[in-house]
Amino acid sequence: MTPVQREARTFLSQFHRRPFTVSDLEKALQEQGFSLVEYSRISNGKEVATLLTSLRLFDYAARQSAFTYQDSHLRIVFMQENLSQQEQIILLSHELGHILCRHLERSPATGPGSSVLQEQEANEFASILLRYNRRCRPRRIALWGGIGIAVAAALVVLISGQLQPDGLLNGIRSVLPQAGLPVCHRQG
């Protein structure tokens, strides 16, 4: 297992087969001591414009969708504002890859000045995270779809008069295996 794969698996281990969100990525950045600053390529508020200008990153930011900056006083992930949730997940996963793979130890900012190897590692990290999220979502949808089918089938049986109301739970339990879902029996 490569160091990139190890870092990605360590990050993903906290989600226990549930998809991670933008908020989860923001929390991971904060745990690493980084702040997230959203910026515009067109017009920024005074604080963001001052920050980008003082760090001499204003022109750099105009060419990027996201990048990470670190010096002895600041740790910031900059991300363009008004991106879709999926774009945010992709970009923050990539920047988190730079951080967890310790790329900022060699350079104060990620992006075009980074080595090809560093960009490949951040891409690999993001790719592992995105594949994980894709694998989680269909299971979750299938599970809820299967439960919906099971409940609907049990209600049809109830309405048709073949099942008494007190037997609704047993009716649902009888349909769950047909929908490929596990049946949990109550103890007691």
Side-chain angles (χ1 to χ4, degrees), residues 5-166:
Q5 292 168 333
R6 189 172 24 264
E7 290 295 341
R9 285 191 179 181
T10 299
F11 172 76
L12 293 172
S13 67
Q14 64 188 304
F15 297 104
H16 308 289
R17 297 184 188 233
R18 83 165 170 81
F20 61 88
T21 64
V22 171
S23 296
D24 293 324
L25 291 167
E26 289 174 359
K27 181 181 174 190
L29 292 172
Q30 290 171 353
E31 289 171 355
Q32 295 297 316
F34 284 81
S35 299
L36 178 63
V37 173
E38 292 190 43
Y39 66 94
S40 169
R41 289 184 177 172
I42 300 168
S43 175
N44 288 293
K46 184 179 178 183
E47 292 175 353
V48 174
T50 301
L51 179 62
L52 288 169
T53 302
S54 68
L55 297 174
R56 297 186 179 130
L57 294 171
F58 198 84
D59 292 333
Y60 186 77
R63 299 185 309 268
Q64 306 298 316
S65 295
F67 63 96
T68 302
Y69 176 85
Q70 174 179 307
D71 65 19
S72 59
H73 303 290
L74 297 171
R75 295 176 126 199
I76 303 171
V77 173
F78 290 92
M79 183 173 64
Q80 185 182 340
E81 63 186 13
N82 298 322
L83 297 173
S84 72
Q85 185 173 12
Q86 186 62 29
E87 289 170 317
Q88 291 177 44
I89 287 175
I90 291 167
L91 293 170
L92 292 177
S93 295
H94 179 90
E95 295 307 318
L96 184 62
H98 280 301
I99 293 165
L100 295 178
C101 292
R102 295 162 193 71
H103 295 162
L104 294 159
E105 293 174 0
R106 301 177 201 108
S107 168
T110 62
S114 301
S115 76
V116 172
L117 177 61
Q118 288 177 349
E119 288 303 313
Q120 287 174 340
E121 288 178 345
N123 286 341
E124 181 184 357
F125 181 90
S127 175
I128 292 168
L129 268 58
L130 297 171
R131 278 195 310 268
Y132 168 87
N133 253 16
R134 266 198 308 276
R135 280 194 311 269
C136 289
R137 291 194 192 282
R139 276 187 175 167
R140 192 172 184 180
I141 291 168
L143 175 64
W144 286 111
I147 290 171
I149 291 168
V151 170
L155 288 173
V156 166
V157 172
L158 175 68
I159 292 168
S160 70
Q162 297 175 8
L163 181 67
Q164 297 302 313
D166 61 342

